[in-house]
Amino acid sequence: GCTSDQTSSSATGTKAKAGGTLVVARLSDATTLDPHFITDIPSANVVYEKVYETLVEPDKNMEPKPLLATEWKQIDNVTWEFKLRKGVKFQDGSPFNADAVKTNFDRVLDPKTASPQAGKFEMIKEVKVVDDSTVQFILKYPYAPLLSILMSNEGDIISPKSIKENSDKIGRNPVGTGPYVFKSWKSGEEIKIEKNKDYWGNKPKIDGVVFKVVPEDATRLAMIETGEAHVTDQVPVTEIDRIEASDTMDLYRTDGLAVEYLSFNTKKKPFNDVRVRQAIAHAIEVDSIIKGVYNDVGTKANSTMSPKVFGYDPNIKGYNYDINESKKLLKEAGIKDGLSFTLTTSDRKERINMAEVIQSQLKGIGINVKIQVLEYGAYIDAIAKGQHQVSIGGWGNATGDGDYNQFNLFDSKSQGAAGNSSFYSNPEVDKLIESARQEADSEKRKELYAQAQEIENKDVPYVPIRNYEHLAVTGSSVKGLWLNPASYLMLDDVTVK
Amino acid sequence: MALQLVDKKILLNVDHLKQYFPIKGGILGRTVNHVKAVDDISFHIYEGETLSIVGESGCGKSTTGRAILRLDEPTSGSIHFKEKDLLSLGKKEMRKIRKDLQVIFQDPFASLNPRQTIGQILGEALAIQNVVPKEERKARIEELLGHVGLRPEAMERYPHEFSGGQRQRVGIARALAVDPKLIICDEAVSALDVSIQAQVLNLLKSLQKKFSLTFLFISHDLGVVRHISDRVMVMYLGKIVEIADKKSIFENPQHPYTRALLSAIPVPNPVHQRERIILTGDVPSPINPPSGCRFHTRCPFAIDICKTKAPELKLSEQNHQVACHIIN
Amino acid sequence: MKKQFDETILEVKNLQTYFYTDEGISKAVNGISFKLKKGETLGIVGESGSGKSITSLSLLGLIPSPPGKITGGSILFKGEDLLAKTEKQMRSIRGNEISMIFQEPMTSLNPVYSAGEQIAEAIRLHQKLGKKEAWEKAVEMLRLVGIPSPEKRAKQEPHELSGGMRQRVMIAMALACHPEVLIADEPTTALDVTIQAQILELIKSLQKDLGTAVILITHDLGVVYETCDRVAVMYAGRIVEYTSAKELYNNPKHPYTIGLLNSLPRLDMDQDELTTIPGTVPSPFNMPKGCSFAPRCAHAKPMCHESVPDLLTLDKNTEVSCWMYTSQWETDHTIIEKVGIE
Amino acid sequence: MFLFIVRRIIQTIPVLLGVSLVVFLIMQMVPGDPATLLAGEGATKQTIEMIRHQLGLDRPVIIQYFDYVVHVLQGDFGESLRNNRPVLDEIMIRLPITIELALASIFITVVLGMLAGIISATKQYSAADITIMIVALLGISLPSFWFGLMLIYFFSVNLHIFPVAGWGTFKHMVLPALTLGAGGAAIVARMTRSSMLEVVRQDYMRTARAKGLKEHVIIYKHGLKNALIPVITVVGLQFGALLGGTVLTESVFAINGLGRLIVDAIRTRDLPMVQGGVLIASVIFVFMNLAVDILYRYFNKRVDLN
Amino acid sequence: MKTEIVLNNNEIKLEKKESQKLKRWKVFYKKFKKNKLALVGGYIVLFYILVAFLAPLISPKDPFAIDLMHKLQPPSLEHWMGTDDKGRDILSRIIYGSRLSISVGFVSVLFGAIFGITLGLIAGYYGKWVDTIIMRVVDILLAFPGILLALAIISALGPSLINVMVAVGIFSIPTFARIVRGSTLSVRKLEYIDAIRALGATDSTIIFKHIFPNILSPIIVQATLKLATAILSAAGLSYLGLGAQPPSPEWGAMLSSGRDYLFTAPHIALFPGIAISTLVLGFNIFGDGLRDALDPRMKK
Ligand SMILES: Nc1ncnc2c1ncn2[C@@H]1O[C@H](COP(=O)(O)OP(=O)(O)OP(=O)(O)O)[C@@H](O)[C@H]1O
Ligand SMILES: Nc1ncnc2c1ncn2[C@@H]1O[C@H](COP(=O)(O)OP(=O)(O)OP(=O)(O)O)[C@@H](O)[C@H]1O
Ligand SMILES: [Mg+2]
Ligand SMILES: [Mg+2]
């Protein structure tokens, strides 16, 4: 259950020649560097807009910006045309052109490739080469958020030469057009990338980046303090006061795209009764969770969609903390002699803490909560199979588009593993999500999502708790680092003293 | 003890008994060799007599005793007790017949469970063979203690509160508890000081008379053996070298080994000093015993045939068998 | 075995060695005295626990301390009191002038060093020889104690040797520096009779060759008779009779000695029943007030339970600690005859 | 001796087969499916099914196991489900590191432990003895992750003597080895002490005294070598424990060792990796045991080779 | 008969039966008491056991009451050991946690001991192929890295204190099995076992009535030492997030939850750390003392 994957943003190189190597300490190693197989952030973070580039990249507000594509237009409902940047070469010397783009999308869509990301591009019928620097995407059906997918990590453009010559080795030898060249990977220990001297755009100011695996939180911070590492992007919220007080460390915070929530299994009694769900929503005092558990990192969520995501509706009220209302609802639902249930969570510290606080809050209205902490794999399994009663979860957003949120969390087709952990099913909502997908006019799309969120708010399959905020700590020698809302490290302007 | 030699009844008959202990070795831990602890011996014990086994350490005395009790399963041979072949009995039948076969061990410290009182030790013996009904057990235990010269209060006490000699008495009482016919005494007095040893020897003798017991008495102390036995069997390296009446053995030892053994004992009596035969070297290993007569490597009289042919146990005179090429 | 011994080499006077333990004070050696002359063999006999080993360890200053402590008396070795010597001085005596063979050949050798090394160690220490010479000497010693192919055996470790051979190694070690006194603490108890005969024969012949005085500790009266010149019989930490070996058998004095001889099953006669000494040795923590043998003694009179008799010199050769032989004792012939030897 | 070694190696085969079967069964019992985890969040059922098929996880369990065993017997440990790299390659990256770490901590264990133990034994009941024993006991009772973090903050962050994390140079080894070795050192110290006290009571020590040797010769020459025998056993067991018990220390010091590899593999349900890791760890353990036995025999000749 | 009279004057006067048992205890206690350190260990253990029993009576606060307004407070008169990251009273949690941590120790050791002892007894008594098979199985367990086994078991059964106990118990099986087998082998050689066999006792009588009681001392010693290890292992598992379920105040869980505050609020980790260390220390030196007191050779 953590959050999610990719978003975008791009690393357009800058001038200045400061040099030095940036050392990033992080929780886990990458699993593969082949974007068509990457499903986790630690992998994507190494290559996304660093070794590889996408056709379009997201800016700080997740708006698409040109990158490998200089301009684009929608020709009709199902046809998008992209003009490609000229004079760009892959790191292996092969030229970037329309063929390269086609080769990439053919690969990800080829069932033989068996890419786990194929589903995301399922709406693409074909990629057509118009001329050397023009491609057309022909869709099976109208799909408005196409750009948001193209600018996320799975839209990385891989060198067609490596696709043709050693398709199954890309995971270990990524070749793209980006500002950094893959150097080496010591499994489980570190990955090195180096400045691409022939980069078409602004070249990085640093010589390279080392991504080191350091599983222990306290150790990562200690490394920043001693200067052994420069950046870490997994920071325990409990340490922010100390970091802010420290003169060897700087804290970086940015709003994310993810939301954490409580998820009811609406297939199970008594959570199939909307009044019970509402009652619980009223009994949770979110503010104290955000302060007490999260140390004010992140903000109170009113919807399962974070404010940065396209389609977010600020008018949704959410549920206020109201014990009396809660009790009343429970009574109406016919629950007299108390309610007991198991709250399932993965083994992330903050989630466990949250569970404990919720447990103690619900005790106030006579609800007896048993906490079940499951190791991540088992947690995913339990949720996918719908074995839980109530769980704590979170949904990131790889693309920054509302569809990625709404479709996965609420659509009946997404029940279980695909994201709909509450097994929520409402034909009306399904229909709204479907229409929003196909609607080309963004204002109208927003309207459709607003309607959906309204219904979802009333049905409360999820109780939204917190909008994510990403933290990173840098040594004081590091300047110019930023994180995009999908939590990718953006290194365009980074310098290390 | 003048024994009527005429109508002696055989109580136990041991026939071609072999006890080989495997030695594991080789890559797969297979049996690569054997300790031939007892190698094809035959003898018998008459009812009511005391037969002693003497010989040096490791010659197979205890092994013989243990094989008879089936504490180790013999490799081959047969053991007939009162006409019954012990080795062919099933587990249950064997348990039953154990009532008639008892044992007293050497070490007074190791032969009693330190965590049981004397009463429990004896009571358990009675219970296992169900000798007397439960209500009568206490009385029986007191009686047994009386037989071995311990006071009834001893019941409540633990072995560590007794001296070695007293413990040995408890061991005897335990053996007596089930009214056995044959008692195997494996070095039953060897660990005791002379003054205590004498007490226990006297006790054994008087009990034998009282309950008409048969003893198989294992010892390396020839003085003790002479005192207690009717017949004596001398073993060397898993073989019987000589077996005869006590008198015959001690006054007319025939096998060179027996003679050496007897002469080696220091005797505090100038009249009885014999000429000492000092053997050279050590007892060979029972894993690879010498060919032919096993004693030939140390025998001062060995001739050629001794090295190649194993001598058989033959009657040399009445009630006196010897296994030696020179004698036979 | 008539030898002439003149020079006293070791004299023990009123030696007391006590153990201070939780259960109380154990008077393991409780005032014993004896003399050892050059070339003589003194036997010390007694039942288990009578203090034989502690006596010998006291002579070398090897009493485990705590809990043991020599609390009184003197040990004069060539006229000098060993108890007054420093630890350093004692070290130059141990293994050099007085050496010892222990009861257990199986455990008394260090399992991780070869036989030769262990012998050579003592030689190097006391005779200041080089490594090689010491080794050669060690091999020589092994040859002397009758170990076949000593060059090979010297290189073997204790576990590769049989019990008899180990005991020979111990003897070789003890004799390596030609000590003036050799203490052998039950050197054959753990061995078979035929091996015992070999070892005793060896000690006797070596003693003859080297002129060493020997203290032979044993509980086997037969061994004493055949090996020793003089004998001290110990009972509960005291010497109860101190006499020549022959005299001991022909004419034992102390009731304990008499009892001991009687309990021995004889090889030379048939007995229907053995004469026994009733009872057991008293606990060292719970010694009777008077003569410690009194509770088991058939002749004991009230005075025996009152106080301990001194060691009384009966004739030139015999000393005995028994009230019977004092003037205070109103002789009662009937009793003596009854227990007297047949 | 040679036969003994060969026999022992042959005996390990059934043990290893048993280990692999246990691993396999446990991993079947564990809920959670590698395909789901691989697919990432939001994957559709079809995607997951496709991955399952790709990995061969849709075959019957028995077939999967047999297939595995057959491959392993041919020296093929398979590929990681997670990143498709050959399991053996991944292990070989970690193995040297793990072994280095284990050796470094065993070194600390042995040196610290024996020194402390000998001092303690020769000065029984002295202040030094009691202090050493209390420190040793504390060493056993400190949770290693706690101790490790404390060391980092004291020696790295505050004093800047040693680097915080990583592996490679001597300086990198000190703190982890200390963390890992401390507990062992404490055990070895106690073992050395009691073994030494035991040896002091032996008859041959009395023999040595009777020879007139100096006390320190008696203790160090005649005593120590014998006292080492049980210590070796403990050190061997400790080494075995190190291989499995390094996970926490590896995490704290960011060491890329076998322990973490296996734990990560379990967490991602990467069966071939778990199998391979555990098997290799077991092999090392078994060989360690063998080495201990050989040493044991070297020091203790009395043990017969059966 | 001579001998019968003989013993009378020699026999010590018999005390009553109770006092005999008492005497054995006294001897044991006397020996044990000699070892001052061991006595301290015993008292520590006793102290914690008392705390565990009396938890509801002596705990000053509700150990589960979350009070986010007063989180991370340093020790004060109100909260002697301060409050944790959710404002709960650490002292009260440690008091209640003693129940869990001590039960983890006891239950897992009991679990390991029961299986280990049974296996060891059977292997040691029957020998031959039974022994071979059992000991190979034990080898497998031993060769299996302990923490991985735990990890796997807990992943399979779901994390809970009970499963931690099972896991920790399982990896203490080999130690018990080996020790018991060794002791069984040596006790089996003793003559009283042969004597009772010669009387016709069944195998189970011999094993459980005669062998088992006589190998108790090494088992007890091993058990006390293992108790210590078990508590530490459970703490290690908590650190990996596999231990007790929140909000239970198991010490290992408390300690590992405190590691985020090692610098901002060190007392959160410190106090459970001290509790674990002292209890483990207590068990260890108690076990050592037991060993010395039960060892007949250690007369001192
Ligand atoms: N269980 C066994 N396994 C292997 N070898 C054995 C076993 N029991 C006895 N032996 C060997 O068998 C031989 C005979 O042993 P046994 O105990 O019968 O001798 P013994 O004559 O009783 O000697 P002792 O006088 O020392 O008691 C010895 O070499 C011994 O090592
Ligand atoms: N370390 C010790 N601590 C306490 N008491 C001891 C110690 N060593 C010996 N004793 C006691 O000293 C007494 C004499 O013991 P010693 O070893 O001299 O007997 P022994 O005559 O050599 O007997 P054995 O024939 O059994 O060797 C015994 O009562 C014994 O209990
Ligand atoms: Mg025997
Ligand atoms: Mg002695």
Side-chain angles (χ1 to χ4, degrees), chain A residues 216 238-239 242 288 291-292 349 352-353 356 359-360 371-374, chain E residues 66 68 71 85-86 88 155 159 239 245-247 259-261 263-264:
Chain A
E216 173 67 35
T238 52
E239 297 277 13
R242 186 168 76 92
S288 81
K291 177 149 188 5
K349 279 182 294 195
I352 298 173
N353 287 342
E356 285 183 65
Q359 178 189 47
S360 115
I371 299 172
Q372 179 189 35
V373 181
L374 293 180
Chain E
I66 289 184
L68 292 172
K71 65 176 190 174
D85 57 340
K86 294 178 198 72
R88 296 174 293 209
S155 305
Y239 174 87
Q245 293 293 281
R259 85 193 128 120
D260 288 341
Y261 305 94
F263 310 99
T264 43

Side-chain angles (χ1 to χ4, degrees), chain C residues 19 76 82 104 171 187 268 285 341:
Chain C
F19 284 92
L76 299 176
L82 294 184
E104 282 290 333
I171 294 172
D268 49 0
F285 305 106
I341 201 161

